[in-house]
Amino acid sequence: MTAIVSANGLRFGYTPQTPTVKNIDLNIGPGQIYGFLGPNGAGKTTTIRLLLGLLPPDDGMVELFGQPFAQDRRHLFSRIGAMIEAPSLYEHLTAFENLEINRRIRKLSRSRISEVLQTVDLSAVTGVKVREFSLGMKQRLGLAVALLPAPELLILDEPTNGLDPHGIIQIRELFQRLNRDCGTTILVSSHILTEVEKLATHIGIINEGQFVFQGTMQALQDLRFENSTIDLETNDNQAAAALLDGRYHVVCNTGGRLTLRLANKEQAAQVCRMMCEAGLDVYRLAAHADDLEKIFLQLVKR
C-alpha cells in the first residue's frame, strides 16, 4: 500500500557544522494517526517543515501520496491541511475574514467556512477580530484554516498548545472523528506523551535530530514490560520459590514476599496459574511496569 508520507535519508542543518535532522526515514500509511514525539529542540518542527517543502533538505527525498514532492506541489497541497507552530492569522481581521481569504486562495465553496467554524466550536465568534481571541481560540481558528479543504492528510505541530483540558479533549475527539469517518491520515507533533497516547495508532520518537523509536502504539506499550516485575506472596513462599526456580528470575526473596523479573505481561498470568496448579494460595500478585512517560524519558536519555 502506497505511503501517504514517505521520507528517506532526510538531512538538514541550519549551519553545516550542526545538523538539526540526521538521516530521517519515515513512512506513514493511509488512515494512520502518527504521533511525532520528542523533547523541545529535538527537530520535530524542522522535520515537518522539510516534509511540507518549507525548507530544502541538504540530502534525502520526500514523497507525498506516492509522488515526489517537487513533481506537482500545487496539486499535492490541495490534499493537505497543515498548522505549523503558532497559526498564521491576520489579527486585525475577524475569524470569518481570515477563513474567507484562505477559501478564495484554495477556490473552495463558501459553505466550508461555517462548517469548519462549527467543527472547531467558534461559530459564536465568527465576527470577532482575532486580536481579541485567547491563545486557545487562535489555535482552534488555525485548525479551522487547516481543515478548510477537507484534507486527506492533516499535519499539525503542537495543535493543543494553549487549550484548556476541555478544549484538548474536544480536539482529540475531532481528530478521532476525522480519522474514523473520513479516513483522514494525521501527523501530529507533540512533546506531551500522555495526550498522544490516547490518540495515536503509530509513534515516532525523535531526539537530537534522529529517531530513537518508530512503531505502533502497541509496540511502545509493550516496552513497559521489558524490565517489569511482580510481587508475589503465597501461603508457602519457600515452595513457591522452588517452583519458580529455573523458570523465572527471582530478584528478591525477603520479608515474606518474592519479586520476579518478567519479560512480558503474559508471564504474570503464567505465574498465577502455576501457583494455583501447585495448590498454593496466592495472597498477593502485583505487577509493576514502567509507565510510558518513563519509557519516553529513557529513550531520549533525559
Side-chain angles (χ1 to χ4, degrees):
M1 190 176 292
T2 302
I4 300 297
V5 180
S6 177
N8 295 294
L10 211 55
R11 292 178 59 86
F12 176 82
Y14 292 99
T15 61
Q17 297 79 16
T18 54
T20 306
V21 171
K22 311 166 189 175
N23 293 321
I24 289 290
D25 293 325
L26 173 66
N27 280 281
I28 302 175
Q32 291 183 6
I33 302 179
Y34 188 96
F36 192 32
L37 293 164
N40 291 329
K44 300 188 302 296
T45 299
T46 299
T47 301
I48 288 176
R49 289 181 178 275
L50 291 167
L51 294 176
L52 288 170
L54 301 175
L55 290 173
D58 296 332
D59 196 10
M61 183 172 135
V62 175
E63 290 187 353
L64 298 176
F65 304 101
Q67 301 178 38
F69 191 76
Q71 185 173 307
D72 192 355
R73 188 171 295 197
R74 184 172 180 178
H75 173 66
L76 291 175
F77 275 141
S78 70
R79 305 169 67 183
I80 299 171
M83 184 174 71
I84 311 302
E85 294 184 316
S88 299
L89 301 169
Y90 298 100
E91 302 251 337
H92 64 290
L93 299 180
T94 66
F96 179 89
E97 290 166 340
N98 270 273
L99 289 168
E100 175 65 10
I101 291 171
N102 284 274
R103 181 196 70 80
R104 291 187 181 187
I105 292 171
R106 289 183 176 267
K107 300 179 181 178
L108 301 170
S109 168
R110 194 166 187 174
S111 64
R112 282 297 294 163
I113 293 180
S114 58
E115 290 171 7
V116 296
L117 282 171
Q118 185 175 2
T119 297
V120 300
D121 197 26
L122 288 178
S123 297
V125 293
T126 180
V128 177
K129 294 190 184 298
V130 171
R131 63 170 168 252
E132 299 177 32
F133 280 17
S134 67
L135 177 59
M137 291 168 70
K138 289 177 182 178
Q139 284 293 111
R140 294 210 301 273
L141 183 56
L143 183 57
V145 173
L147 293 174
L148 262 180
E152 299 171 55
L153 171 63
L154 198 53
I155 298 179
L156 305 165
D157 187 16
E158 304 286 358
T160 58
N161 183 36
L163 298 180
D164 59 23
H166 179 63
I168 291 173
I169 292 171
Q170 283 184 313
I171 295 301
R172 185 202 316 146
E173 291 175 347
L174 168 62
F175 293 160
Q176 291 170 331
R177 189 167 65 251
L178 288 170
N179 179 257
R180 180 184 65 248
D181 298 343
C182 306
T184 308
T185 302
I186 302 173
L187 167 61
V188 55
S189 163
S190 180
H191 62 277
I192 306 173
L193 175 60
T194 52
E195 186 55 36
V196 174
E197 179 188 359
K198 299 171 185 175
L199 176 68
T201 60
H202 293 71
I203 291 289
I205 299 177
I206 190 175
N207 188 44
E208 296 181 353
Q210 53 193 343
F211 277 115
V212 293
F213 176 87
Q214 273 200 94
T216 64
M217 176 57 78
Q218 184 60 54
L220 182 62
Q221 289 172 337
D222 288 344
L223 290 178
R224 298 171 62 189
F225 291 93
E226 282 200 352
N227 290 309
S228 62
T229 60
I230 59 170
D231 289 337
L232 175 66
E233 185 178 353
T234 72
N235 63 324
D236 189 343
N237 284 344
Q238 188 174 355
L243 189 63
L244 295 167
D245 187 43
R247 300 187 189 185
Y248 297 93
H249 182 203
V250 179
V251 295
C252 184
N253 185 358
T254 58
R257 184 179 300 172
L258 304 172
T259 302
L260 289 71
R261 182 78 66 194
L262 297 182
N264 53 60
K265 60 184 178 182
E266 287 77 15
Q267 288 187 346
Q270 294 168 6
V271 168
C272 185
R273 192 178 302 115
M274 285 174 60
M275 298 299 106
C276 293
E277 289 175 351
L280 296 175
D281 295 330
V282 178
Y283 297 150
R284 173 184 170 86
L285 194 150
H288 303 281
D290 291 342
D291 59 28
L292 291 179
E293 187 176 67
K294 186 174 181 180
I295 292 170
F296 173 78
L297 293 174
Q298 289 170 347
L299 287 170
V300 300
K301 295 180 172 59
R302 296 288 179 97

